[in-house]
Amino acid sequence: MKNLNIKRVSVSLASKAITALFSISMLMTSCSEDNVINLKPINQIAEDEAFSTPSLILAAVNGVYNAAQRGDYAGGQRGYPFGAAFVQQGDNRGEDVVNTQTFYQLTYTATYDPGTANNVYYWSDTYRMINRANLVIEGVTRAVDNGIITQAVGDQYIAQAKFFRAAGHLELLFHFARPYNYTVDASHPGVPYRDFGINTKETMAQAMLVGRSSVAECYTKILSDLNDAENILGSGVITRVTKEAAIAFKTRVYLHMGRWNDVITEGNKLSGFTLTSDPNEPFISGYKNTESIFSLENSATNNPGVNAALASQYKRRTLVAISPIIWRDPSWLPDDKRRRELPHSDATDVQDDAMVFTIDGAKYTNKYKDGRDYTDPSPIIRYAEVVLSMAEAHARKASPDLPQALTLLNSVRNRSLANPATQAYTIVDLPTQSDMIQAIIKERRIEFLMEGRRWPDIHRLQGDAFVPMDGIPAKVANGTPGASLYVLGTPYTGPYGVQAIPGTDHRFLWPIPQDEVNSNPTLREQQNPGWD
């Protein structure tokens, strides 16, 4: 296997190499002809120069990672698409967290519109990252042709860029398109699949003609990009895209497509990963553990900052609380290690061994440890997700294998139990296909709480035969929940300050941003219904 442990160049070098190259790639939003013609990068590095040396080429590749980690928010940072915003939007669209302040209140309460900044930048920054990936693919191809780097090195760079292109489009589908099974053949509108770089007046005009691909077409292209990445890349470190990261993402893709045997086939390829013995280890040792497949790196000098670092949002500033809805769910046993708390005086004093902490009665996650320097990695996919996806696939396939589903489910859950010998699920507890699938989905809610995975599950489970979802669930009111709402012993039954929204409601989907439809005549005619 090829070693992908490539040394990252400095942020300043990456900035010099990519600012000129990508400054017009905010997407189509606000992308007029004048904007493209008149842009003058502050460092004057032309595109050809950005791919003129091996070190500058590596800097451009690192620029794609940087775009995935940090994003832009009116000149600041918010962590789109795979920093804090990836987690917060995925959490706040669901019912298992409570938004305590105003940062993501519009997302939490589904009161957004085509101009809502967090959603607008989610679209624009994801396409910005995708455009950087496309420009890297094209620039690296030229560099290989010109003999600046070898074909082998160039292939690895291109494969990493294709991974990010696939991951970005998949994330957009979760928010701006109906789930895969909404139509029998997934022919309903997806998102524009942008597979060429936008860096000139001509390519901008070309992009204006690209409308929304069908969901089926998007998934086909996503899988093609991930297959290319798998076939080229080797193993490496957690913070670089690897062969295993591409495989793991394919399990996620196939799960959303309902291709159960493919989920199992892909998952079985990942024999080099194991679940950690303690549920907290992937977060205490985020950069070196057996479970994290891909995470984005953060350091004291290179992180998304106070408005976009996970430990800032979830720990230091306590902007999102654990919801009493999941906290009081009977499936989450009272002595589960994922409830582990240790004495502390405030959020900054929480010890790493704790997985939750309490302030004024409300419960918060301590998965993200470093509330001072924000050095926690941003988790993208863990092996625990792959295992639970395989468990669900075994339970859902045409000839269900409930014993194997149970084994996989317990392998994740048991490490958090105080006494697995007496508390582990048995086939007597989950005798039917429906029982098994419901338990697996509940385990996903507990295991990936505060990791942004709830909304994608809500999205794919619309109208499901075993765990039926209809739209956006009811939630606890926006604001800090009182201590009395967290008392264990009975399931949470209300009050619900945010009412459920049915799946037929147009608010189930985010609108394509107004700036986009204003500047792009093709997408103007393809706005999500109800947002016209």
Side-chain angles (χ1 to χ4, degrees), residues 28-293:
M28 294 294 94
T29 300
S30 304
C31 199
S32 69
E33 181 177 314
D34 285 343
N35 286 340
V36 172
I37 294 173
N38 294 330
L39 276 170
K40 188 174 184 181
I42 58 172
N43 50 35
Q44 303 299 317
I45 294 182
E47 180 178 342
D48 288 343
E49 186 177 348
F51 291 97
S52 62
T53 70
S55 61
L56 287 176
I57 294 168
L58 177 56
V61 174
N62 285 337
V64 182
Y65 284 82
N66 193 60
Q69 170 206 44
R70 299 164 73 95
D72 176 83
Y73 184 93
Q77 300 174 69
R78 194 58 65 85
Y80 311 107
F82 292 117
F86 165 70
V87 177
Q88 284 181 273
Q89 293 278 43
D91 283 342
N92 277 307
R93 295 205 73 186
E95 78 280 38
D96 289 339
V97 308
V98 183
N99 187 71
T100 64
Q101 305 295 328
T102 59
F103 244 46
Y104 286 93
Q105 182 175 347
L106 299 182
T107 293
Y108 186 74
T109 58
T111 51
Y112 32 73
D113 60 38
T116 298
N118 274 322
N119 301 14
V120 168
Y121 281 100
Y122 211 90
W123 170 283
S124 66
D125 279 341
T126 304
Y127 275 118
R128 187 199 314 273
M129 180 198 72
I130 289 167
N131 198 47
R132 291 186 175 192
N134 286 331
L135 291 169
V136 162
I137 291 168
E138 294 167 4
V140 167
T141 300
R142 291 193 304 272
V144 171
D145 291 342
N146 293 331
I148 298 170
I149 56 176
T150 66
Q151 185 71 59
V153 171
D155 286 346
Q156 289 195 24
Y157 290 160
I158 290 171
Q160 292 173 68
K162 284 186 175 182
F163 172 90
F164 280 113
R165 183 168 70 184
H169 284 105
L170 182 65
E171 186 64 17
L172 289 167
L173 287 169
F174 293 156
H175 295 288
F176 294 95
R178 293 281 176 176
Y180 188 87
N181 61 2
Y182 183 70
T183 54
V184 174
D185 56 357
S187 60
H188 51 288
V191 296
Y193 204 95
R194 293 182 178 155
D195 54 7
F196 59 89
I198 306 169
N199 61 343
T200 65
K201 174 183 171 182
E202 290 73 27
T203 51
M204 186 190 73
Q206 180 183 355
M208 289 285 192
L209 302 177
V210 178
R212 299 174 70 169
S213 300
S214 71
V215 168
E217 290 168 337
C218 287
Y219 272 80
T220 296
K221 292 178 179 179
I222 287 168
L223 285 170
S224 177
D225 278 343
L226 292 175
N227 282 329
D228 286 349
E230 176 194 355
N231 291 333
I232 292 169
L233 296 173
S235 301
V237 296
I238 289 170
T239 54
R240 301 300 287 192
V241 177
T242 61
K243 177 188 190 78
E244 291 81 10
I247 293 169
F249 252 73
K250 284 201 289 179
T251 67
R252 184 179 286 179
V253 172
Y254 284 131
L255 190 73
H256 282 262
M257 298 175 76
R259 290 172 54 171
W260 313 122
N261 288 330
D262 288 321
V263 173
I264 296 166
T265 297
E266 298 298 329
N268 282 334
K269 295 178 183 178
L270 297 173
S271 57
F273 290 87
T274 58
L275 297 168
T276 59
S277 60
D278 187 275
N280 198 24
E281 189 175 341
F283 304 97
I284 291 179
S285 304
Y287 293 106
K288 189 176 182 181
N289 64 81
T290 62
E291 182 172 326
S292 296
I293 297 174

Side-chain angles (χ1 to χ4, degrees), residues 86-96 107 110 112 122 170-179 256 444-445 448 451-462 469-473 475 501-503 505 507-510:
F86 165 70
V87 177
Q88 284 181 273
Q89 293 278 43
D91 283 342
N92 277 307
R93 295 205 73 186
E95 78 280 38
D96 289 339
T107 293
Y112 32 73
Y122 211 90
L170 182 65
E171 186 64 17
L172 289 167
L173 287 169
F174 293 156
H175 295 288
F176 294 95
R178 293 281 176 176
H256 282 262
R444 290 176 67 94
R445 291 174 64 183
F448 306 123
E451 294 182 59
R453 302 313 311 152
R454 180 55 178 153
W455 175 254
D457 278 350
I458 291 172
H459 185 263
R460 72 181 174 90
L461 292 171
Q462 296 297 302
M469 299 291 303
D470 179 20
I472 305 173
K475 309 173 187 180
I501 295 174
D505 193 290
R507 291 171 291 176
F508 181 80
L509 295 184
W510 286 348

Side-chain angles (χ1 to χ4, degrees), residues 277 333 335 337 410 413-426 429:
S277 60
L333 300 181
D335 54 3
K337 295 175 185 176
N410 275 337
R413 183 173 179 265
N414 282 5
R415 64 178 176 172
S416 297
L417 300 180
N419 188 354
T422 60
Q423 294 174 319
Y425 286 130
T426 68
D429 300 316

